[in-house]
Amino acid sequence: MYRLLFIFFCLLPAAGFGQKITSSTNRLAQKHYEQANQAIGSKTYNKAIIELTKAIAEDNRFVAAYQQLADIYRRLNDYPEALVNYKKVLEIDPEFYNLTYFGIAESELNTGDYANALIHFKKYASFPGLSDESKIRTAKYIADCVFSIEAVKKPVSFKPVSLGSGINSNQDEYLPVVTADEETVIFTRKVNKNEDFYTSVKNQDKWLAAKSLSANINTFEFNEGAQCISPDGNYLFFTGCNRPDGLGRCDIYISKWEGSEWSKPFNLGAPVNTPGWESQPSISADGRTLYFVSTRNGGRGGYDIWKSDLGTEGWNTPVNLGPQINTAYDEQSPFIHPDDETLYFSSNGWPGLGNKDLFMTRRKDGTGWEKPQNLGYPINTFREESGLSLNSSGSLAFFASDKEGGSGGFDVYSFEMPDNLRPNAVTYVKGMVYDKSTKKPLEAKIQIINLRSGNFAFDDVTDPIEGEFLATMAPGNSFALNVSKPGYLFYSQNFTPNLQQAIKPYMIEVPLQKIEVGGMVILNNIFFDTNSFELLPESATELGQLISFLKENPSVSIEIAGHTDNVGDDKSNLTLSENRARTVYNYLTSKQISPTKLSFKGYGESMPVTDNSTEEKRQNNRRTEFKIVKK
């Protein structure tokens, strides 16, 4: 008689369960079984499968061999084959071993047979002597089955569309991310077990043939993957593993687009990276909060989602997103939408349809995050779903799948996100900055500030070659745009996007004027109440920009001019415009700007920039300007 060698890999010790002593009366079957045990001991599972198959061929009632074979297939995630063999065990001897019920239930869960999985998990849970760990995990799987049975009854809309042959090939393509204008996609392609980045651009709704991203980033000896790109397409955060400059097994790196090429990436270093494992970055639209996955100390499970905010001296100590997001299991592939309020991620800890599912959560004011919501069936299935990203409007999602009918392996798809699963719509402003006289593109500083909160929505420079920039903005807020460059007058603009702008973004050109006498700037972000000359708080951002300009150009003197529309009588309008100009003058002198550099004048309704036929045109005529009177 031989002692049965069980190899249950589920990490669920069955305290109190005795193992049966069993063997086959067929000596040849028993010999193959023993050789399989030796192969299992050396982790050569394919050899063990061969020997166990031979054992069963000699003795088709050899229950221990079926059990071993089922366990190996489950260990290798071949759940259909595991199911075949577990069923055979129960057919031969339903009382053979209690953990058989857990094995068949887990295999059924991972093949989508939720009803039978629920029956078998409950059967396993009814046995006495289960360890606390076994009870917890079994209860988690029962919750998965209950959720899945209901989810399948209420499918969500899901019609995936391949991104086409320009991107998908007979290799694996996955982890797609797009820029805010949806004109560029970057994804990972695996060729000969090596992961590299590829990129494609859109031409008339068709993605062109993908090209390797950059020799500065892709390598032959290391894997590059799990990336995110800033909405403007200028910054790439990615995961690099086992690199010479790494702090741990996998670290997060950053590379910047420099007009014609990506820069050499550099390691973000501590405290973001540790001697552990950091991966799967996602950057907020303003570039100031980095979400990522780590196995560092202080987490709640194996893989947790963390975040780090950008401080004055670099990235701050990362903070775990806590029990509102992270579970005792694994949370991965975070994607923070440009609305900065909606987070998508994958998890096998929250109730789902098996393996990892995709979830979403929304930020709660000052109290963390809402309870994660499963995206539902058939977006989620018993297979692993991860690596989701969305466009800025939130209407279109991008993901990878090895579904039937693809080009081979994993392919990249998009689908329309159901309305109730969408983030808040975000629009963007895309512009080009150039010299007003020469028309030459300029590298200039771009700042977009939320006038209500005073926070930066964007703070960067234009493309040094093309002079272009792109920044996202959330509808329902007012934003100030300031464009500046040494030697030039700054440019001021105001945006108050609504939901319509999420469909039709802002496209602008910014001609910067060199500092010359007579040069004029409209201060579009200085605000007064109707018929009032008291500055509103939202004016502080623009006034700060004007103060900086005057301090950076100490030889310049300006005239502050106030203008009105034609509503009301001429005298009242003239007085109102002069009072408003005087208010700005007084504000500047209160901030240590010398009165000798300033003058002010009201022009009333005498100098309109357009006619007064509509409210929008009248608003354009109600303005504050400054003019260079001395250089």
Side-chain angles (χ1 to χ4, degrees), residues 386-458:
S386 62
L388 184 81
S389 64
L390 283 83
N391 63 354
S392 59
S393 70
S395 62
L396 199 64
F398 299 84
F399 76 111
S401 173
D402 60 351
K403 63 190 296 290
E404 293 183 5
S407 299
F410 279 87
D411 287 343
V412 178
Y413 295 84
S414 66
F415 68 94
E416 285 193 22
M417 183 65 81
D419 289 344
N420 65 315
L421 300 175
R422 293 183 182 185
N424 298 317
V426 172
T427 189
Y428 63 87
V429 54
K430 185 174 184 179
M432 185 181 75
V433 181
Y434 59 92
D435 184 293
K436 185 176 181 179
S437 298
T438 67
K439 311 302 181 186
K440 179 181 177 182
L442 295 175
E443 182 177 16
K445 185 175 184 61
I446 309 292
Q447 292 181 319
I448 297 181
I449 305 100
N450 186 315
L451 290 171
R452 181 182 303 167
S453 67
N455 295 330
F456 285 99
F458 187 83

Side-chain angles (χ1 to χ4, degrees), residues 205-241:
D205 294 328
K206 180 180 180 181
W207 293 101
L208 302 182
K211 298 178 181 179
S212 177
L213 182 65
S214 170
N216 283 341
I217 297 177
N218 291 333
T219 64
F220 293 108
E221 57 269 60
F222 309 113
N223 285 331
E224 294 80 34
Q227 79 288 1
C228 70
I229 190 169
S230 59
D232 61 1
N234 285 339
Y235 294 91
L236 182 75
F237 293 80
F238 70 94
T239 307
C241 296

Side-chain angles (χ1 to χ4, degrees), residues 2-21:
Y2 292 85
R3 187 173 180 83
L4 179 64
L5 176 63
F6 288 100
I7 59 162
F8 286 92
F9 297 92
C10 59
L11 303 177
L12 287 170
F17 291 171
Q19 295 180 345
K20 292 188 177 182
I21 306 300

Side-chain angles (χ1 to χ4, degrees), residues 458-486:
F458 187 83
D459 186 9
D460 207 344
V461 297
T462 61
D463 182 293
I465 295 177
E466 301 296 334
E468 295 177 340
F469 69 94
L470 185 152
T472 59
M473 300 178 296
N477 297 283
S478 291
F479 296 89
L481 166 67
N482 285 311
V483 184
S484 59
K485 182 177 177 62

